[in-house]
Amino acid sequence: MIINAKTGHAADETAEMLVFYMYEDSKKIHETLEPFDVSFNHAISELLKNKEFTAKLNNLRALPTYGKFPSQYVLLVGLGKKEDITFDKIRQASGTSVKTARDMGIKKVTSVMDSLEILAERLEEWCQSFTEGAVLGLYQFKKYKQTKPEEEKEVRALTLLVSDKKILTPVKEGIKRGQVIANAVSFARDLVNTPSQDKNPTILSNIAKNIAKEQGVSCKILSTPDLKKLRMGGILGVAQGSTQPPKFIILEYNPQSKNQDTIVIVGKGITFDSGGICLKPAKNMDQMKSDMSGGAAVLGVFSALAKLKVTQRIVGLIPCTENMPGGSAIKPGDIVTFHSGKTAEVANTDAEGRLILADALAYAEKFHPGAVVDFATLTGACVVALGGIATGMLGNNEELKNRIKTAGEKSWERVWELPLWEEYQEFIKSDIADIKNTGGSGAGTITAACFLSKFTEKYPWVHLDIAGTSWAEKNNAYMQKGATGVGVMLMLELLKDWKKFTKEK
């Protein structure tokens, strides 16, 4: 879809569909809509007066113009109360409007941005959010579906119409940034939605190489001999049961950056998780192709860094393997030795994500990071605690946690902090190793983070458990059932205007 901005007046605009946005608590219709109301014998005013249309968020009403204007349809879209407007409600209204247009067979849409009553100081950010909602609202994963040409419905062009030429530049800048970010999210969604047969560790490594080549990023792939040399027993141990060899993806952007923090992003890359010897139930096991959502988020972020002109040095680490119950699979009671030298007793082979992350987090020390953030579909306990609404957050640095919380509110990939208190460390003590990889039935998300914390003691670190937020069970305004691409928007928002901070915890 081509997205552009132009100046003009709605009544003169030639478009298949003109979209106007309305607030629930507005006393009157916006001036841009008045010519249409007059021409329609005040039908729009009557709809509002009789409450046949209320401007609650995502409420819609399409009206044909019957040739009275160059446009064919007028679409009214509700925003809810003006005092409650957020960036995410802008995304929702935008996504809802373009999806409605697509389903009606409309190919060209013009959105009347004046009707949003945008504050001048937030214009670029609003237009960024609007663009993100439009692109993500139209996202569909149809790679494996046959569709007849006559059944294809697609919005090919979206125009953001404004009346003042002075604001055209920030509107265009918002569009540009919004497209880059939404395309990065869509890329991550595609990776997660792809079946595991088409994204084993080797394939995922090749995808990383392609991103690096396109974006001017360095990429190094560690294979089994390298992992053995580095004593990465966590990755090697989990990989034992699979015929697919493990890989460790190392991406580096802007390595020559001076006097700025190096930020390391770690993503769990289990390309399929059967649970290993501790086999998962058959129900919903097909969704375990999504256990590399953290790795997909890292790849999505790296696909956008150069386009957004991020100035920091960014390192991406993705440990990749399958977790399968083969004859050589790691067994409950086995001991693994990590890159750091620490040992862990494997109490449950389905707690494999923390084993591969432990090696990656220990390896992160090599880059002398100013901050480390990991994304992982780590625990079912986090889904129980927070559902699909919030990502679980735990970490060792208050400032980093606060920055992530702020970025989450803005990107609407919200986080909720859980405690990482010393008392919880008792749960993962082992009688025969330094630690064990499960802490029992209680506080599962916290004890998983306690395990990871043993490998992050030398730098500021935050762990984000995306087990609940990485997968959507139903469609919404700008989400299709399936992969959400969570983490990409949050991380890119976090990196925007990053300011160096002390490493004190």
Side-chain angles (χ1 to χ4, degrees):
M1 178 174 63
I2 297 171
I3 306 177
N4 60 25
K6 61 179 286 191
T7 57
H9 298 287
D12 302 325
E13 185 69 12
T14 300
E16 291 180 65
M17 177 172 279
L18 273 176
V19 184
F20 294 86
Y21 299 90
M22 307 180 72
Y23 291 100
E24 187 179 357
D25 49 353
S26 290
K27 301 294 184 182
K28 60 179 183 178
I29 62 175
H30 194 268
E31 61 184 4
T32 55
L33 191 54
E34 286 178 355
F36 296 86
D37 189 41
V38 172
S39 183
F40 297 163
N41 294 320
H42 302 287
I44 298 172
S45 296
E46 288 298 314
L47 286 173
L48 296 171
K49 180 181 177 181
N50 298 329
K51 296 186 179 180
E52 294 177 58
F53 174 77
T54 57
K56 293 183 183 298
L57 182 63
N58 294 326
N59 273 6
L60 300 164
R61 188 64 176 259
L63 303 169
T65 64
Y66 297 112
K68 294 181 179 181
F69 293 91
S71 54
Q72 297 175 27
Y73 289 93
V74 165
L75 181 67
L76 310 179
V77 182
L79 293 167
K81 293 182 179 179
K82 189 172 183 179
E83 63 181 2
D84 297 331
I85 196 66
T86 63
F87 290 120
D88 193 67
K89 288 180 179 179
I90 295 296
R91 288 187 196 97
Q92 289 189 48
S94 175
T96 299
S97 61
V98 293
K99 282 202 297 185
T100 300
R102 179 191 64 198
D103 294 345
M104 290 175 62
I106 302 295
K107 292 180 172 58
K108 294 182 179 180
V109 177
T110 295
S111 288
V112 184
M113 302 304 286
D114 287 6
S115 64
L116 285 169
E117 301 177 28
I118 303 174
L119 296 173
E121 62 270 19
R122 308 188 84 178
L123 185 61
E124 185 175 327
E125 293 174 301
W126 276 42
C127 291
Q128 174 191 326
S129 298
F130 186 92
T131 303
E132 290 166 351
V135 175
L136 295 176
L138 293 175
Y139 173 84
Q140 296 180 89
F141 186 71
K142 300 193 293 184
K143 182 178 179 180
Y144 297 90
K145 296 186 75 172
Q146 288 186 332
T147 307
K148 296 177 182 178
E150 62 270 20
E151 296 174 345
E152 286 285 351
K153 291 182 178 180
E154 182 181 356
V155 176
R156 295 177 181 170
L158 172 63
T159 300
L160 277 59
L161 184 69
V162 297
S163 58
D164 186 356
K165 288 184 179 181
K166 294 177 183 177
I167 67 172
L168 204 54
T169 297
V171 170
K172 288 182 177 180
E173 286 300 313
I175 291 171
K176 184 179 178 181
R177 183 175 175 86
Q179 279 187 294
V180 170
I181 293 173
N183 288 338
V185 174
S186 298
F187 175 76
R189 288 181 181 180
D190 280 348
L191 283 178
V192 178
N193 282 325
T194 297
S196 62
Q197 70 200 67
D198 290 338
K199 62 175 182 196
N200 63 45
T202 301
I203 295 172
L204 207 59
S205 297
N206 290 332
I207 291 171
K209 289 178 185 177
N210 289 336
I211 291 174
K213 187 176 180 180
E214 292 170 3
Q215 303 300 322
V217 171
S218 69
C219 180
K220 184 178 181 181
I221 308 296
L222 302 185
S223 297
T224 300
D226 308 301
L227 299 174
K228 287 180 177 178
K229 195 177 295 183
L230 291 168
R231 297 182 72 197
M232 290 191 168
I235 301 173
L236 290 166
V238 175
Q240 284 176 202
S242 174
T243 58
Q244 298 293 336
K247 302 290 180 183
F248 185 29
I249 300 169
I250 304 168
L251 296 162
E252 193 169 358
Y253 167 83
N254 202 13
Q256 306 305 320
S257 178
K258 303 292 184 183
N259 302 317
Q260 296 197 59
D261 289 326
T262 292
I263 301 161
V264 178
I265 317 169
V266 181
K268 176 184 171 185
I270 298 291
T271 57
F272 188 80
D273 182 18
S274 69
I277 295 296
C278 302
L279 195 67
K280 291 179 181 290
K283 185 179 180 181
N284 295 329
M285 197 194 286
D286 59 304
Q287 290 183 15
M288 288 301 99
K289 66 182 181 180
S290 72
D291 213 18
M292 42 66 71
S293 294
V298 175
L299 292 174
V301 168
F302 269 80
S303 73
L305 293 174
K307 296 170 188 172
L308 296 176
K309 299 179 181 178
V310 173
T311 59
Q312 286 76 32
R313 178 193 185 199
I314 312 296
V315 175
L317 303 178
I318 310 172
C320 301
T321 178
E322 292 181 336
N323 184 26
M324 299 294 285
S328 59
I330 195 169
K331 303 175 290 296
D334 285 355
I335 304 290
V336 297
T337 302
F338 298 103
H339 177 63
S340 67
K342 286 186 173 71
T343 60
E345 175 189 357
V346 179
N348 187 325
T349 65
D350 195 24
E352 85 298 330
R354 65 204 71 180
L355 299 180
I356 68 169
L357 287 172
D359 279 330
L361 290 167
Y363 190 79
E365 287 182 20
K366 170 181 176 174
F367 300 97
H368 307 290
V372 176
V373 180
D374 79 72
F375 292 90
T377 47
L378 208 61
T379 65
C382 196
V383 185
V384 173
L386 301 174
I389 305 299
T391 289
M393 178 178 73
L394 306 96
N396 64 16
N397 184 280
E398 293 302 317
E399 183 177 348
L400 184 56
K401 285 187 285 186
N402 288 335
R403 288 190 187 194
I404 288 173
K405 184 176 180 180
T406 299
E409 291 294 331
K410 203 164 184 180
S411 64
W412 214 244
E413 294 188 341
R414 293 169 293 174
V415 301
W416 190 259
E417 185 177 3
L418 296 170
L420 198 58
W421 297 331
E422 188 62 33
E423 290 89 338
Y424 288 110
Q425 300 286 351
E426 296 291 320
F427 288 66
I428 60 168
K429 284 187 175 180
S430 169
D431 295 330
I432 57 175
D434 294 327
I435 47 178
K436 60 182 178 179
N437 77 329
T438 61
S441 59
T445 302
I446 298 171
T447 55
C450 285
F451 186 95
L452 298 181
S453 73
K454 300 296 186 182
F455 304 88
T456 63
E457 295 166 336
K458 295 183 179 179
Y459 49 71
W461 157 76
V462 163
H463 161 61
L464 295 172
D465 192 330
I466 58 173
T469 51
S470 64
W471 193 264
E473 293 297 337
K474 60 182 180 180
N475 298 339
N476 67 24
Y478 59 90
M479 202 81 70
Q480 186 187 40
K481 182 180 178 181
T484 64
V486 71
V488 177
M489 291 175 72
L490 186 154
M491 198 68 213
L492 291 173
E493 182 60 40
L494 179 67
L495 293 175
K496 183 182 179 183
D497 303 322
W498 177 275
K499 291 179 177 59
K500 194 169 184 176
F501 67 100
T502 62
K503 296 183 181 182
E504 292 181 9
K505 296 179 183 179

